[in-house]
Amino acid sequence: QTKMALTLFILIGALAVTIAVYWKKIKEQFRKRQLINKLPTIMETAYPLVGHSYLFPKSAEELFVFITGRLNWVMTEAVEKIAVLWLGPIPLIGVVHPEAAEVILRSSKHIEKSFVYTFVHPWLGTGLLTSGGEKWKQRRRLITPSFHFNILQEFLEVMNEQSKKMVDKLDASIASGSKIYVGKAITMCALDIICETAMGQTVNAQDHQDSEYVKALYRISDLVQFRQRTPALWWDAVFSRSKLGIEHDTILCTLHGFTRNVITERAQGKGKKEIENPRRLAFLDVLLNAETEDGKSLSLNDIQEEVDTFMFEGHDTTAAAMTWTVYLIGRYPDIQEKLHEEIDSVFHDDKEGVISNSQLQKLSYLERVIKESLRLYPSVPFIGRVTTEECIIADHVIPVGTQVALFIESMHRNPAVWPDAEKFDPDRFTAENCVGRHPYAYIPFSAGPRNCVGQKFAMMEEKVILAQILRRFSLVSHDKEEDLKKQADLILRSSKPLNITLTPR
């Protein structure tokens, strides 16, 4: 009887402790839900488990129009700086104003990435794009020297070679009367550039657009993006057994196999003495010789994470930016005329020669055109973070552990921040017109501690490729801006090829 009483006492005590522990968590969750419910919302009715997703259109371009349309209503009609969007059972705070964005971006604490980035972990691991905490800080310190001015100068040689190859191919296509997809040509050129600068080896994408590696690189993006917007596939156990999951794993074998082979061969074939003064230093070489604070080298897995990350981030974003810029140049003849005048004043009659860094520095109007294009069509349309402590955003209390999405495209078109926001006007970026602008109003490369480490590389590449095109061609874009269908997942792009005509000058 005493044993029974003791057992009962233990059970009651264990139950009481369990209730106490879970009661605290229940109270925390209840308080979080109360705080979230006080926030502005993109629409009133969010149901349990499904949230707002029951209203989502199926296609990626329709989904983008739906969400940005609701956010535009929030910032113009409701005059709010944030709004809640429920992705299934998960509340996502959408940010559409620089004052609200600053709270997250300038912080050294809110640097953890949103859960949507976990879907790229099988592909990119936890490298510079997706990692957080001390790992991210260490990688940032190791990788930053890779974009030193002297190394960028060596990359300029590659950019010249590959962009020259691209414009020669475009010229040949015009002569043969072939249909030209300028965006595809730019993308393949950017892929060849990042392969050679990141790995020291090109895949010759411009000559072999149907290679297994090139096809795998584009298909994996589609699969990741489809999974991100399909809550039913968020669980690994479900996704891995689906037809798409099986395809996803097969493609990863192709991608990882290629980069791992390149890394292994370069690591074995180049001793440190051999790398000291190579003809061309690749990003991979820097990683192979990098050492952490405790004197340790990066493992092959560590290096592969960063190489795979740069293969994706280093070409898809810049290719999208250049494609949108070409489109806008073709839509505005007066701006194109100014560009041609600047190009001719720098290069004169030279349409073939190598572009030097000193010449790039003189292309100030081209740089303003690129910046304004990135305002209207930022390559990365949103950034996802998680709050690591309770904070105040736009006078609202945001609980710890809340998913936050900074909708860059909406911020860049916010009429409260940008006068005549829909107008394409490169002169927004003259020195005098930038005075007084909120420092977080324009963030195509993010901002704060987690800003894009490769933004100087990107701007250099974009100026080189666009200058090569403008030296040789005049552009006409036939798609009206109101007819465009934008697709935004990881990268903002047109859902169909843009119809652009090139004419030799």
Side-chain angles (χ1 to χ4, degrees), residues 80-82 95-102 411 414 416-417 438 440:
E80 297 285 358
K81 298 174 182 177
I82 63 173
V95 173
V96 293
H97 195 281
E99 290 176 6
E102 183 176 9
M411 288 174 59
N414 192 324
V417 180
H438 193 285
Y440 290 83

Side-chain angles (χ1 to χ4, degrees), residues 33 36-37 46 50-53 56 84-92:
R33 183 62 186 255
I36 295 294
N37 286 342
V50 298
H52 289 127
S53 61
F56 291 172
V84 178
L85 167 67
W86 285 86
L87 294 176
I90 299 174
L92 184 74

Side-chain angles (χ1 to χ4, degrees), residues 481-499:
E481 288 169 72
E482 59 268 26
D483 296 332
L484 291 176
K485 290 189 176 181
K486 293 176 284 188
Q487 180 174 328
D489 294 296
L490 296 176
I491 304 297
L492 179 66
R493 64 181 94 249
S494 171
S495 62
K496 60 181 181 179
L498 296 168
N499 187 10

Side-chain angles (χ1 to χ4, degrees), residues 56-103:
F56 291 172
K58 290 184 178 180
S59 70
E61 59 267 24
E62 288 175 350
L63 179 61
F64 181 71
V65 170
F66 174 78
I67 292 177
T68 54
R70 294 304 303 175
L71 288 171
N72 289 342
W73 178 87
V74 165
M75 67 188 184
T76 56
E77 300 299 323
V79 198
E80 297 285 358
K81 298 174 182 177
I82 63 173
V84 178
L85 167 67
W86 285 86
L87 294 176
I90 299 174
L92 184 74
I93 310 300
V95 173
V96 293
H97 195 281
E99 290 176 6
E102 183 176 9
V103 176

Side-chain angles (χ1 to χ4, degrees), residues 93-278:
I93 310 300
V95 173
V96 293
H97 195 281
E99 290 176 6
E102 183 176 9
V103 176
I104 297 297
L105 291 176
R106 73 179 298 180
S107 171
S108 60
K109 295 178 180 178
H110 305 305
I111 61 172
E112 301 296 323
K113 287 299 185 82
S114 168
F115 81 98
V116 295
Y117 291 84
T118 60
F119 303 125
V120 300
H121 285 178
W123 173 20
L124 305 180
T126 50
L128 193 62
L129 173 67
T130 54
S131 61
E134 285 304 313
K135 180 174 181 179
W136 173 80
K137 291 176 183 176
Q138 181 193 78
R139 293 291 174 86
R140 179 78 183 211
R141 284 193 295 269
L142 289 174
I143 289 169
T144 297
S146 302
F147 295 94
H148 186 275
F149 176 77
N150 291 337
I151 295 177
L152 287 179
Q153 284 300 105
E154 296 198 18
F155 290 168
L156 180 57
E157 185 180 350
V158 179
M159 294 172 187
N160 267 294
E161 289 177 3
Q162 297 297 345
S163 59
K164 172 68 163 55
K165 183 176 183 177
M166 179 197 69
V167 291
D168 285 345
K169 284 181 170 290
L170 290 172
D171 220 351
S173 295
I174 291 171
S176 68
S178 301
K179 180 69 175 176
I180 298 171
Y181 293 107
V182 182
K184 184 70 174 288
I186 289 172
T187 301
M188 293 301 106
C189 177
L191 182 53
D192 275 340
I193 288 171
I194 197 61
C195 275
E196 195 162 348
T197 54
M199 294 189 290
Q201 177 175 328
T202 181
V203 292
N204 291 313
Q206 295 190 77
D207 294 323
H208 305 290
Q209 297 183 13
D210 294 324
S211 74
E212 286 303 310
Y213 180 76
V214 172
K215 288 192 293 185
L217 195 58
Y218 284 93
R219 182 57 180 158
I220 196 70
S221 297
D222 293 339
L223 292 175
V224 168
Q225 292 159 12
F226 181 77
R227 189 182 182 192
Q228 284 177 329
R229 63 177 183 266
T230 311
L233 297 177
W234 286 357
W235 288 271
D236 289 339
V238 174
F239 182 67
S240 62
R241 288 171 172 79
S242 69
K243 184 178 178 182
L244 292 179
I246 294 168
E247 183 188 3
H248 174 271
D249 292 345
T250 302
I251 289 171
L252 284 184
C253 288
T254 300
L255 293 172
H256 289 163
F258 178 82
T259 51
R260 177 55 68 99
N261 285 340
V262 173
I263 293 167
T264 303
E265 288 173 11
R266 205 156 179 100
Q268 291 173 347
K270 284 181 175 283
K272 287 198 175 184
K273 289 182 180 177
E274 217 175 320
I275 296 178
E276 284 175 3
N277 291 298

